[in-house]
């Protein structure tokens, strides 16, 4: 239970009337408008945004900060698409530079965790022309049969749109097949930025914004929850970011199927947009704070530490973030290949908890759907094998 008296909004006396009105709305739990969202980005100081975002975070979650024990499997980095920001994929014609795991390889990667207390596998990769819907459905079934309690979060809307198109099935049919075979939820990738003009500059050939929304809507209606992302810090402006979050907020009003929102900072290493400078940490914290304020119907805001780095992830916990993803076990390459600080992302449960406690928050191990698995406040680590 969250103690109401612990939550405060600290306001400067020289705030303009629009910012005061926004603060008042946040205080009473009213939704802010699109124009107010843009105004916040343009005129809110970092301290003001942090104060509002932290107020909401504290009301919703107190000091609780969630993480999970997870690992990723990336079946391939061969991809039929050519997103300009992607440092990870290789076109089929350059397949010698890439990797293509076969079904046994993928299954064996899951089996490597048989004796570990992980609760989630996150399966995403490039869009390989030969790995289709039925191939992946069989694989999901094999994993589910082997380890039924392991939550399978798999395939971005980009992969799903291609799989369904190739298999000549509707999104509803394709998602139903995957669900029947054991897929539990969808990750949030592939959303990038919904504004059609900016989207066409950074990823013109993959699924459209409307298709991304339709796939998540269909999944939610079938009882498969999902996450949502936004790729920021490239050619987009604040209006585009708010438009993106507004489309998500509208869908969430209809389905309540999103678990968490994850802002993803564009990293410029080794890709076709390397000339675009990366934004500052200040901008990262503003992005987290405004998303916490704008997305009133999302329960959770996640800072994905392998991408943002552990120090910014720690700071983000004062700017609306209440989840820092999981232990990862060095099983994803997407961000390391784009030049992120975390070149071998891997944190033990103890390290993750200490990271959270070092900034005065309360570490909670969660399942994918935010069920509490372990409360690690003041945990005695000396009695654990690491
Ligand atoms: O859609 C690719 C992003 C996403 C770069 O749902 C880049 O729990 C920055 O969505 N710079 C895939 N970002 C990863 C993803 C994700 C990650 C962690 C957790 C969850 C979840 C989802 O990675 C892509 C794209 O937006 N991305 N390249 C880059 N150079
Ligand atoms: Fe392919 Fe995804 Fe990379 Fe785009 S972001 S090129 S869809 S792997």
């Amino acid at each position: 239970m969250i103690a109401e008296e612990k939550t405060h909004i600290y306001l400067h006396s020289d705030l303009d009337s629009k910012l005061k009105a926004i603060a008042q709305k946040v205080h009473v739990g009213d939704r802010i408008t699109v124009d107010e969202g843009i105004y916040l980005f343009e005129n809110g100081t970092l301290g003001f945004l942090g104060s509002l975002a932290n107020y909401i975070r504290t009301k919703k979650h107190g000091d609780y900060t969630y993480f999970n024990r997870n690992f990723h499997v990336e079946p391939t980095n061969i991809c039929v698409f050519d997103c300009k920001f992607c440092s990870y994929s290789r076109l089929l014609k350059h397949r010698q530079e890439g990797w293509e795991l076969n079904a046994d390889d993928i299954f064996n990667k899951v089996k490597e965790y048989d004796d570990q207390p992980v609760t989630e596998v996150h399966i995403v990769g490039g869009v390989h022309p030969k790995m289709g819907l039925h191939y992946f459905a069989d694989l999901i079934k094999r994993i589910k049969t082997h380890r039924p309690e392991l939550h399978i979060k798999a395939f971005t809307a980009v992969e799903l749109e291609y799989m369904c198109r190739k298999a000549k099935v509707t999104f509803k049919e394709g998602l139903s097949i995957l669900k029947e075979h054991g897929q539990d939820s969808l990750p949030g990738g592939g959303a990038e930025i919904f504004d059609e003009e900016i989207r066409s500059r950074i990823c013109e050939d993959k699924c459209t914004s409307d298709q991304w929304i339709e796939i998540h809507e269909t999944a939610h209606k079938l009882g498969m929850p999902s996450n949502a992302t936004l790729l920021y810090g490239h050619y987009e402006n604040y209006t585009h970011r708010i438009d993106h979050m507004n489309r998500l907020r509208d869908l969430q009003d209809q389905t309540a199927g999103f678990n968490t929102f994850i802002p993803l900072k564009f990293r410029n290493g080794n890709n076709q947009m390397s000339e675009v400078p990366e934004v500052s940490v200040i901008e990262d914290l503003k992005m987290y704070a405004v998303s916490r304020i704008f997305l009133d119907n999302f329960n959770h805001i996640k800072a994905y530490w392998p991408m943002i780095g552990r120090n910014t992830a720690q700071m983000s916990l004062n700017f609306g973030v209440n989840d820092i993803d999981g232990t990862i076990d060095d099983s994803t390459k997407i961000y390391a290949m784009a030049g992120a600080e975390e070149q071998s992302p891997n944190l033990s449960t103890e390290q993750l908890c200490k990271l959270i406690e070092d900034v005065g928050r309360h570490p909670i191990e969660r399942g994918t759907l935010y069920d509490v698995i372990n409360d690690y406040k003041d945990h005695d680590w000396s009695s654990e094998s690491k």
Side-chain angles (χ1 to χ4, degrees), residues 50-281:
S51 190
L52 296 195
N54 199 42
Y55 175 79
I56 300 168
R57 185 245 205 255
T58 309
K59 262 178 97 172
K60 282 185 185 285
H61 306 290
D63 284 335
Y64 278 20
T65 299
Y66 297 93
F67 68 93
N68 70 352
R69 298 201 212 204
N70 63 347
F71 65 101
H72 289 228
V73 178
E74 296 174 351
T76 183
N77 69 339
I78 303 297
C79 190
V80 298
F81 298 121
D82 187 23
C83 304
K84 305 294 175 242
F85 56 81
C86 184
S87 320
Y88 154 93
S89 68
R90 295 292 178 271
L91 293 168
L92 198 56
K93 63 183 179 203
H94 299 131
R95 70 194 302 174
Q96 70 285 354
E97 295 168 22
W99 69 88
E100 294 162 277
L101 303 184
N102 64 34
D104 286 338
D105 296 334
I106 299 171
F107 183 62
N108 287 334
K109 285 214 171 272
V110 174
K111 282 184 73 183
E112 282 170 23
Y113 291 86
D114 276 359
D115 58 352
Q116 294 189 40
V118 289
T119 59
E120 175 192 282
V121 57
H122 179 152
I123 308 176
V124 290
V127 179
H128 194 292
K130 298 224 165 68
M131 296 181 184
L133 177 69
H134 299 289
Y135 170 84
F136 279 124
D138 289 345
L139 183 71
I140 296 281
K141 186 166 186 178
R142 206 168 154 195
I143 297 170
K144 205 58 175 183
T145 308
H146 175 70
R147 195 164 174 181
E149 77 291 354
L150 186 68
H151 183 108
I152 303 178
K153 181 173 83 177
F155 312 128
T156 65
V158 175
E159 295 166 276
L160 291 164
E161 186 278 326
Y162 186 83
M163 274 184 222
C164 292
R165 179 154 45 94
K166 291 285 273 195
K168 298 192 169 44
V169 297
T170 63
F171 296 152
K172 187 173 175 191
E173 289 163 345
L175 284 163
S176 302
I177 291 171
L178 290 167
K179 183 170 191 265
E180 280 157 21
H181 283 72
Q183 182 172 333
D184 297 294
S185 69
L186 275 58
E192 320 315 354
I193 192 84
F194 290 150
D195 176 84
E196 280 72 11
E197 202 262 319
I198 306 292
R199 190 176 186 82
S200 72
R201 286 174 71 188
I202 66 170
C203 54
E204 64 175 350
D205 53 356
K206 74 181 182 188
C207 87
T208 65
S209 306
D210 286 346
Q211 286 172 325
W212 192 98
I213 293 279
E214 190 186 338
I215 287 169
H216 283 255
E217 180 179 358
T218 309
H220 296 173
K221 289 182 175 160
L222 289 170
M224 298 166 91
S226 70
N227 291 336
T229 57
L230 182 165
L231 183 70
Y232 69 93
H234 44 91
Y235 304 127
E236 91 294 355
N237 61 30
Y238 292 143
T239 304
H240 300 131
R241 293 190 203 175
I242 292 289
D243 162 65
H244 185 103
M245 290 195 273
N246 195 41
R247 298 193 208 190
L248 294 173
R249 194 170 74 171
D250 285 347
L251 178 57
Q252 181 75 331
D253 277 343
Q254 293 171 47
T255 64
F258 287 119
N259 273 328
T260 183
F261 177 67
I262 314 157
L264 293 171
K265 175 191 186 133
F266 165 67
R267 311 300 310 233
N268 68 6
N270 310 310
N271 57 47
Q272 297 172 68
M273 286 166 55
S274 291
E275 82 290 352
V276 178
E278 292 182 2
V279 296
S280 67
V281 176

